[in-house]
Amino acid sequence: ITPVRVPTITEEAARDLARAREDARTDLMASRHRLSKLLLRYGHVYSGGHAWTGIHDQWLRRIRFDQPGTQAAFDSAYADIVFTVARRDQLDQAIEAMAADSEFTPIINRLCCLRGISTLTGFGLAVEIGDWSRFDASSVGAFLGLTPGEASSGEKRVVTSITKAGNTHARRLLIEAAWHHKPSYRPGNTMLRRWNNAPGPVVARAHLGNQRLHQRWLGFDARNKRPVIANVAIARELAGWCWGLATM
């Protein structure tokens, strides 16, 4: 019988919060997609800069339709976006409060020393993985489904894409965080503020990790590796660096 670790009540509650925020993000993306496609069908195309900003919101408020049914559909879709944004922001505030003062705070402060890991990402990784001591630098990537699969028979060995096993929430967070290691690495003010919340040895280790992951990106680019494939490899190594910081 393979032993498993049962999450504590506090961990389950924190996971509920993190996954509620994930649901709000997904709902907001779907709501925005529905509204944009409704506008596109009637020839309303925004060209004033980035979408879903304050200026874009003012443009949306000025739109009117001749048909009452279309106007009602537009009003409903817009109201859904406003409500979902408010729900997401409320969950963000709850996560910020728990991340600042809870049993997960030390782990979150350590993870945030790495590029691409903000408070939301660090909170999600901390509560989804829970006890980091269960793994080592290589097994944590396998646990999150970031290692290649294998379909072999006899003497024939075929390596497939990643297994996508394990925790999908933590895997998505690492995939998104890995993209931040592609640009040039220079610690900015935000990174320096995060480093102030972590012990010195953790900061030094995270600095080495940030340099290493950026160099890995440069190596993949030099070999003309497809960016999406390279990013998964970076995410797998990033998981190992997260484990290293969490267990120092």
Side-chain angles (χ1 to χ4, degrees):
I1 299 176
T2 303
V4 297
R5 178 181 178 274
V6 179
T8 64
I9 296 177
T10 306
E11 288 177 350
E12 286 286 6
R15 286 181 185 178
D16 290 338
L17 177 59
R19 293 177 184 182
R21 204 277 179 187
E22 173 78 5
D23 293 339
R25 183 193 68 86
T26 304
D27 294 343
L28 179 59
M29 184 169 56
S31 299
R32 287 174 171 175
H33 181 79
R34 285 193 295 267
L35 180 61
S36 62
K37 294 303 177 270
L38 173 65
L39 295 175
L40 183 62
R41 289 201 303 271
Y42 288 91
H44 294 281
V45 180
Y46 179 68
S47 59
H50 293 290
W52 313 115
T53 60
I55 298 176
H56 182 235
D57 184 71
Q58 295 175 9
W59 176 78
L60 289 173
R61 290 174 179 271
R62 293 194 297 267
I63 293 178
R64 294 293 180 270
F65 295 93
D66 296 331
Q67 296 296 324
T70 306
Q71 184 64 47
F74 170 80
D75 292 340
S76 175
Y78 179 78
D80 187 37
I81 291 176
V82 173
F83 172 77
T84 307
V85 168
R87 179 161 61 96
R88 182 201 62 183
D89 293 344
Q90 185 179 15
L91 292 170
D92 285 348
Q93 294 175 4
I95 289 176
E96 292 282 352
M98 184 174 289
D101 185 18
S102 68
E103 63 184 73
F104 309 103
T105 303
I107 296 294
I108 295 171
N109 290 338
R110 290 168 177 242
L111 298 180
C112 287
C113 293
L114 292 167
R115 277 213 297 179
I117 299 183
S118 62
T119 301
L120 291 176
T121 303
F123 180 84
L125 292 173
V127 302
E128 292 293 347
I129 295 180
D131 183 11
W132 293 78
S133 62
R134 296 177 292 163
F135 310 103
D136 55 34
S138 58
S139 64
V140 67
F143 170 75
L144 298 173
L146 290 170
T147 53
E150 184 175 339
S152 302
S153 178
E155 297 180 356
K156 183 178 180 181
R157 181 174 182 268
V158 179
V159 177
T160 63
S161 58
I162 59 173
T163 62
K164 296 184 179 180
N167 194 297
T168 58
H169 302 280
R171 183 170 62 252
R172 183 191 67 80
L173 293 173
L174 287 169
I175 290 291
E176 291 186 354
W179 287 109
H180 291 264
H181 289 272
K182 188 173 184 180
S184 301
Y185 172 57
R186 288 185 297 273
N189 293 331
T190 301
M191 182 63 69
L192 294 177
R193 286 195 300 269
R194 293 174 181 171
W195 284 357
N196 290 332
N197 297 324
V202 172
V203 172
R205 183 68 176 170
H207 179 62
L208 291 177
N210 291 332
Q211 291 177 321
R212 158 75 179 181
L213 293 171
H214 175 62
Q215 291 299 321
R216 288 275 288 164
W217 258 115
L218 295 180
F220 285 130
D221 286 343
R223 302 203 308 268
N224 296 321
K225 200 74 171 179
R226 287 181 58 195
V228 291
I229 296 178
N231 188 67
V232 172
I234 297 296
R236 179 168 58 249
E237 187 165 337
L238 176 59
W241 284 98
C242 289
W243 170 85
L245 297 184
T247 57
M248 281 184 65

